[in-house]
Amino acid sequence: MATSPARCGSGSPRPELATSKKKHWHSSQRLDPLPDGSLTITFDLTSTVEVKSWLLGFGRDAELLEPAWLRSELSDEFHELASR
């Protein structure tokens, strides 16, 4: 199965996100701490289910930076939920 990179970032430093630097979620993860205390995490995934759940756990303090098609998919899901 082909992999697709997903790059996620934290919008603001939070204690929960700071502990992310020590956690291991996926064998392909790459952590890039930024000077402002935020963090960029890159995963190579074969499924989007895990990264979606992971992002939702951080709420508004996390952002899916790429790929654009997955950002669009998440946006569509949020709009569908909000319209119910």
Side-chain angles (χ1 to χ4, degrees), residues 18 30 41-42 46:
R30 291 172 302 283
I41 304 174
T42 304
T46 56

Side-chain angles (χ1 to χ4, degrees), residues 7-65:
R7 201 164 63 90
C8 310
S10 65
S12 62
R14 276 187 13 194
E16 304 93 294
L17 295 175
T19 62
S20 297
K21 297 173 189 174
K22 300 173 185 168
K23 291 192 178 183
H24 185 78
W25 287 286
H26 195 271
S27 61
S28 69
Q29 79 183 33
R30 291 172 302 283
L31 304 174
D32 298 307
L34 302 175
D36 67 357
S38 63
L39 182 67
T40 299
I41 304 174
T42 304
F43 299 93
D44 293 323
L45 302 176
T46 56
S47 167
T48 61
V49 174
E50 294 164 332
V51 74
K52 286 180 184 179
S53 294
W54 182 79
L55 280 167
L56 290 173
F58 288 109
R60 69 178 71 215
D61 290 319
E63 178 182 2
L64 177 63
L65 303 172

